[in-house]
Amino acid sequence: MYEQERPDSILFFMLYAGVMVTAIIASCYLLFRRGNAFAPNIKTPPRLRRWTGIFFASMALSHIWYMPIAFLATPEAIQTAYLIGGLLDCVIILPLAIIVLLSMLQDRKRPLWPAFLVVAPLAIMIIYSMVSYSEELETMFLAYLLLLCISLIIYMVLQMREYGRWLRDNYADLEHKEVWQSFIVFAIILVMFGIYVSGIGGPAYNYIVNINNIVLICYLLWRVETLSYLSAPQPHIPDNPSIYDNIGTLLQLHCIDTKLYLQHDLTLQQLAKTIGTNRLYLSQYFSRQDTTYNAYINGLRVKYFTHLYREAVNTQRPFTIKELAHDSGYLSYSTFSLAFKQLMGQTVTAWTHNSDK
């Protein structure tokens, strides 16, 4: 394990140094700058910003550690240096990558210490290999690493599904809130980490890893800058059927009649406050109706869109679908298009074509 060949080209060292410098700049930006430079109108999760900055710092330190290996003379010294670097990667970078992704899930504060605990066996095996100058644990190391990667992917799939349900229960607009693409990035990190540790790929793979690191830094910076900070849910309140008796009437008076649902980025908590009830009571009311807050608001918005469309067609006034979608409460046309297809069973284009007949 960690039997890497040393690329000796100037091009590689320039790329390697570029990753290190980029990671340092990105870390300092996230840890010391207040507010977003690229998306100033979005407030990002402070926890995510902090941990991502620490993750970038660990990437930079890892690159600093590996750089002098190019000047080591003996195979034993090189192997020892790689093992120490591998130990640092396993106990620092890998857990921090897990923590960064967990920090994107804002439905609740998940404990972060297990991220360090699960990599402890890897660290123990590397330390044993350094002390005993033996590779007898290599197969066990790679098997545990494979098992760990599979387990983490399964765990994150379950957590992402739970987070997705929470989003649909509390937010009508999911723009800048979904993090499914981050899971794909996480899975790629695990695969590339495993290949790198196993030594597969040769010198060419070292170039791929460093190019991947630059892409990863840019992606995480974009993700931190654009992910909206969401409030955590309130404590559970006991179910009381009598509380839900008037909620339907209140929604009609304060949401439908006033067209409150057209407000961009309207949240469950804002709606609950407007109608004079508790956020959890309102969420449980929607659950009793076999729907979600997201589906309820989108249903009202799509219905309003169809009204606007027919009115515009009948009066023969100029319009675009994007303008009508915006007037129906959607900041993002892609969000509107997806919601429309889910609710109407066909695309906006197909629906308007059929309506015009």
Side-chain angles (χ1 to χ4, degrees):
M1 54 186 169
Y2 281 95
E3 296 176 353
Q4 305 295 327
E5 297 183 38
R6 296 181 299 174
D8 297 321
S9 70
I10 295 177
L11 177 62
F12 174 79
F13 285 113
M14 290 177 62
L15 176 62
Y16 191 88
V19 175
M20 181 179 65
V21 172
T22 303
I24 291 173
I25 293 173
S27 175
C28 292
Y29 168 76
L30 292 180
L31 293 176
F32 301 113
R33 177 183 171 84
R34 302 297 180 188
N36 295 348
F38 307 111
N41 295 328
I42 296 177
K43 180 182 179 182
T44 57
R47 192 188 197 201
L48 174 62
R49 192 178 188 91
R50 180 175 64 252
W51 281 111
T52 306
I54 295 172
F55 174 67
F56 288 154
S58 71
M59 287 181 63
L61 291 174
S62 175
H63 275 64
I64 291 173
W65 170 262
Y66 283 113
M67 188 169 285
I69 293 178
F71 304 100
L72 297 178
T74 65
E76 293 78 10
I78 294 172
Q79 182 66 11
T80 300
Y82 271 122
L83 285 172
I84 295 174
L87 177 63
L88 296 175
D89 290 344
C90 286
V91 301
I92 299 177
I93 292 184
L94 183 55
L96 286 175
I98 299 171
I99 288 173
V100 166
L101 191 57
L102 289 176
S103 298
M104 295 181 187
L105 308 179
Q106 302 178 68
D107 53 329
R108 59 186 173 88
K109 279 196 173 183
R110 293 166 174 80
L112 303 180
W113 59 266
F116 293 97
L117 182 63
V118 296
V119 301
L122 296 175
I124 293 172
M125 284 185 272
I126 293 178
I127 292 173
Y128 175 82
S129 298
M130 286 191 297
V131 173
S132 64
Y133 297 98
S134 170
E135 296 184 358
E136 61 183 280
L137 295 182
E138 180 174 355
T139 302
M140 186 181 300
F141 178 92
L142 295 176
Y144 182 82
L145 180 62
L146 177 61
L147 178 63
L148 176 61
C149 292
I150 294 174
S151 300
L152 286 173
I153 290 174
I154 294 174
Y155 174 77
M156 289 310 304
V157 167
L158 297 175
Q159 296 304 302
M160 293 285 289
R161 291 184 62 182
E162 179 182 332
Y163 182 66
R165 287 193 295 267
W166 179 76
L167 283 180
R168 290 187 292 274
D169 286 341
N170 290 272
Y171 296 91
D173 303 283
L174 300 184
E175 192 78 8
H176 306 310
K177 300 176 181 65
E178 292 276 22
V179 294
W180 60 268
Q181 71 273 38
S182 303
F183 168 73
I184 297 176
V185 173
F186 174 71
I188 293 173
I189 292 172
L190 289 180
V191 171
M192 297 195 71
F193 182 78
I195 295 175
Y196 180 74
V197 169
S198 64
I200 301 173
Y205 190 74
N206 288 298
Y207 287 91
I208 297 174
V209 167
N210 282 278
I211 293 173
N212 174 73
N213 285 338
I214 293 178
V215 173
L216 176 64
I217 292 171
C218 293
Y219 168 78
L220 287 178
L221 274 176
W222 169 82
R223 181 71 280 190
V224 171
E225 289 276 300
T226 58
L227 185 63
S228 297
Y229 177 53
L230 309 177
S231 57
Q234 298 174 354
H236 177 70
I237 298 175
D239 192 11
N240 185 348
S242 63
I243 294 175
Y244 310 106
D245 293 343
N246 297 323
I247 287 184
T249 302
L250 293 172
L251 286 172
Q252 179 68 46
L253 290 173
H254 301 291
C255 181
I256 299 176
D257 293 348
T258 63
K259 295 185 175 62
L260 179 65
Y261 57 86
L262 298 179
Q263 177 183 316
H264 296 301
D265 215 16
L266 178 68
T267 67
L268 177 73
Q269 181 155 346
Q270 291 171 334
L271 179 57
K273 184 177 179 180
T274 300
I275 69 173
T277 189
N278 183 278
R279 160 180 171 164
L280 284 183
Y281 290 147
L282 183 55
S283 178
Q284 290 168 359
Y285 168 81
F286 289 130
S287 180
R288 285 168 170 266
Q289 304 299 314
D290 196 26
T291 187
T292 65
Y293 170 70
N294 179 267
Y296 174 78
I297 295 297
N298 280 321
L300 294 175
R301 288 176 174 178
V302 168
K303 182 178 179 180
Y304 188 75
F305 167 84
T306 61
H307 165 74
L308 289 181
Y309 178 82
R310 292 190 175 101
E311 183 180 61
V313 170
N314 292 334
T315 58
Q316 297 184 341
R317 70 175 179 85
F319 68 92
T320 66
I321 298 298
K322 288 186 177 181
E323 289 173 346
L324 296 184
H326 185 273
D327 293 341
S328 300
Y330 291 99
L331 283 175
S332 167
Y333 181 78
S334 61
T335 301
F336 159 73
S337 180
L338 179 61
F340 189 95
K341 187 174 182 180
Q342 288 176 339
L343 290 165
M344 304 295 285
Q346 56 185 327
T347 64
V348 183
T349 303
W351 181 86
T352 53
H353 178 72
N354 293 331
S355 299
D356 293 338
K357 290 182 179 180

